[in-house]
Amino acid sequence: MEVVALVSGGKDSCFAMMRCLDYGHKIVALANLIPEDDAVDELDSYMYQTVGHQIVVSYAKCMGLPLFRRRIRGSSREQGLKYNVTTGDEVEDMFALLSEVKRQIPSITAVSSGAIASDYQRLRVESVCSRLGLVSLAYLWKQDQTLLLDEMIRRGIVAIIVKVAAMGLKPSAHLGKELAELKCHLLQLNESYGINVCGEGGEYETLTLDCPLFRNARIVLDDFEVILHSPDSIAPVGILHPLKFHLEHKPNSFGTVGDSATAQENSSYLYEVDGAISHSDVEKKQETLSPVTTVDACTNIDLCISKTGKKLFSIGCWIQDPCGTSEGECLKTDLVAVLSRIENQLKEEGLGWMNVLYVHLFISSMKEFGLANEVYVSFITEQKCPLGVPSRSTVELPLVQVGLGHAYVEVLVTKEQVKRVLHVQSISCWAPSCIGPYSQATLHGEILYMAGQLGLDPPTMKLCPGGPTAELEFALRNSEAVANAFGCSIFSSAIHFLVYCSAHLTSSEKEQVEHTLRSSYITSLDCSNTGSYPTILYVFASDLPKGAYVEIKPILYVPSPTNDDGVPTREQEAGGSLPASSEAFSAWSAQYSDLDDSCCQVHTIGGKICSAVVSVTNDIALKICSTTEQLYHSEEHLKALARFCAFQLAKILIDNGFSWDNLTMLRFYYSVEHPVTADVMSRVFSEAFAELEEGGVGSCTPDGVPIFNIVPVSASGCFTSLSDIISCELLASKV
């Protein structure tokens, strides 16, 4: 990509540009924001007065690139972490600056910035990029600062300290010193006082005088003065104010460099960006986009809906009667109908997309992924989700084969507008970016719902080479990076792991995936706090995004700081448990007494979270049906299997003190290798739950709709080598 780099004069923005080159991008322009001249009373303004900002202008000469500069007219008016467009805010000056860069150099598609740890800075750059249709590149984001500092010095960043404001840093001793000279001292201060060695906490600031990007010349500082801003005895604040400098030619440079600092400002390298701030053409186009087809055009589509639980619940919606137009039009029409129906269901309950925590998007063809996204973003937007957009997982399933149309959506909903969302849209070395209205992870209560993670190399956003096992390793690494951002780990906090695998995997590759997951993940699990392993289910999908072989979707437990002892609060205990003393239920228990619990995985945390997987294998099915016939040749056999599943799930809830009201998710996966429609599967499970309810285990259908979703897949099971006839996936929560 062709990139404009935001530069401040410091080491971070320069090294971020070097990282851009490392990953194949091309820096074609620089952009710089400076304070107004009358801001001399501000601490950070000294660096930008006269000679100071001329040094930054000289970067253009040293690199042979144009520099676009704008004086900041606004102030920090919108001080919330997430930026909302605010007239008069300094972020709008960045918007005006980058708008002009894009106008003059239309080939630019990305913006580089030196953000390392500041969400405040990153989110503002991402906001501007989103509005201008640009990609944010933040290759220093979330990097280990000790390693980062070492790499900057090792790769030739020559930067001097121009501001100090931390314990252990003295204006008289450290201002003007090169970063390399202070490396050991900074590491000692980090060990003693915990300072950020890269200065991310404002401990110090730098001015870059040379780096490998400066191919024409280096900057030589001839004179400066030290300004003591705060003579504090513990952490004095001081600034180095440049007074005079010159540019020194580099050998074999092709550019011409003048010695006069004033000449630098008047050169053709500098473009002053003035004028009022206005909406860009991109924003105007976005504002005038007509909405995708409304649900009124889809009234001939038969839609079905499901719903679990009460306070925290899932809503599923699917097509009963697929349309007959072309594949692309079918997907668009069906997805509009499904999302509209869910939107209306939310409205009926006084809710909206802002209440949605997670979206499972199942589509009939991954070739139409772009079209599906187009429809998706017409419903779920940043504006509709002020607390953050939901996390999402998208896979291709054989929907059409079983009569479910071309789109199937399940959303996880909370009635509370309380959640913490991680939505990093910048491309970085940290974890895969989420450019668009879906986030990496959403934390609600004490449960973290993570988006489906692919084996992507974060800085390039390409699938890693090496096949399924390599992708799994990268997906685990990416999941851990996201988990760490919430102060947890997939190795000690996992509740449930859903592993999507491509149906195109060979038998050998399936075994390798399971072996890799066991050796790289399962054997490293820390179960000291919970006493049991997280539940794990393999689901084989027709296709995954980007043609990936593997996608993992973890659900993690993140204990609340105010209730981290694992003991549920009074509110969490609410809901009671299922009554289990009825004669009918006892009869069911007796009927299945000879079947061991090997078909069940159960993982509970503190009596407030329960995850379960029930696998109905061929061996189990033969015992239930007491027949050697083909198990799918009789609807009666299906009813028997559904009855067993319903009983096992009820028993799991009973044994662990949960009720149907606590149910947040319940799915039944079945293989399309067997000639059974989704309608038949849905009916036999509905009858099984109705019989269960009659048996005295509480209301399984409180709203008169199914509490479960039927999901057709290529195969599923707790092992990749075995294909279950039916796999049940349950999550219940009192959090």
Side-chain angles (χ1 to χ4, degrees), residues 1-5 20 25-29 108-112 137:
M1 290 187 285
E2 293 194 1
V3 180
V4 54
C20 286
H25 304 301
K26 181 181 180 182
I27 307 296
V28 298
I108 284 177
T109 55
V111 176
S112 170
L137 302 177

Side-chain angles (χ1 to χ4, degrees), residues 185-321:
H185 184 60
L186 291 171
L187 293 175
Q188 289 174 355
L189 293 179
N190 171 260
E191 187 174 338
S192 300
Y193 307 120
I195 76 160
N196 296 284
V197 295
C198 283
E200 274 298 284
E203 294 91 342
Y204 70 90
E205 292 182 8
T206 60
L207 175 66
T208 301
L209 300 181
D210 193 14
C211 73
L213 298 169
F214 294 2
R215 54 194 176 94
N216 294 330
R218 63 176 58 87
I219 298 166
V220 178
L221 192 60
D222 299 314
D223 193 15
F224 62 84
E225 65 176 335
V226 172
I227 300 172
L228 189 61
H229 184 270
S230 172
D232 187 90
S233 59
I234 298 176
V237 179
I239 291 177
L240 181 147
H241 184 197
L243 297 176
K244 186 179 180 181
F245 76 98
H246 72 276
L247 302 184
E248 184 178 279
H249 283 278
K250 284 189 173 182
N252 303 319
S253 64
F254 297 99
T256 58
V257 182
D259 290 330
S260 168
T262 304
Q264 306 303 313
E265 256 193 277
N266 297 326
S267 72
S268 59
Y269 285 96
L270 178 64
Y271 296 87
E272 294 284 1
V273 179
D274 298 314
I277 299 169
S278 61
H279 286 294
S280 68
D281 292 337
V282 173
E283 285 192 309
K284 290 176 181 177
K285 288 178 183 177
Q286 290 176 342
E287 290 172 358
T288 57
L289 282 176
S290 58
V292 183
T293 316
T294 63
V295 74
D296 293 337
C298 311
T299 52
N300 62 320
I301 296 177
D302 188 6
L303 295 164
C304 299
I305 204 156
S306 66
K307 183 173 178 291
T308 64
K310 287 191 174 181
K311 289 185 177 179
L312 179 63
F313 54 90
S314 295
I315 297 176
C317 187
W318 60 94
I319 306 294
Q320 189 74 16
D321 182 20

Side-chain angles (χ1 to χ4, degrees), residues 446 557 563 566-568 572 605-610 658 732-735:
E446 295 179 316
Y557 172 58
N563 184 43
V567 179
Q572 290 163 350
I605 297 177
K608 50 187 176 180
I609 301 170
C610 179
F658 289 83
S733 169
K734 297 179 184 177
V735 176

Side-chain angles (χ1 to χ4, degrees), residues 538-553:
Y538 296 92
V539 170
F540 290 87
S542 305
D543 200 3
L544 301 175
K546 296 182 178 288
Y549 289 114
V550 179
E551 176 181 325
I552 57 179
K553 191 181 79 66

Side-chain angles (χ1 to χ4, degrees), residues 128-149:
V128 171
C129 286
S130 177
R131 292 160 63 190
L132 292 172
L134 298 170
V135 176
S136 170
L137 302 177
Y139 285 122
L140 310 190
W141 176 250
K142 289 289 186 182
Q143 297 296 285
D144 181 281
Q145 293 189 38
T146 299
L147 298 178
L148 203 54
L149 178 65

Side-chain angles (χ1 to χ4, degrees), residues 512-532:
Q512 290 171 10
V513 166
E514 185 175 337
H515 174 75
T516 301
L517 187 68
R518 181 165 297 278
S519 60
S520 299
Y521 176 65
I522 297 174
T523 57
S524 302
L525 285 172
D526 176 7
C527 302
S528 57
N529 292 327
T530 58
S532 60

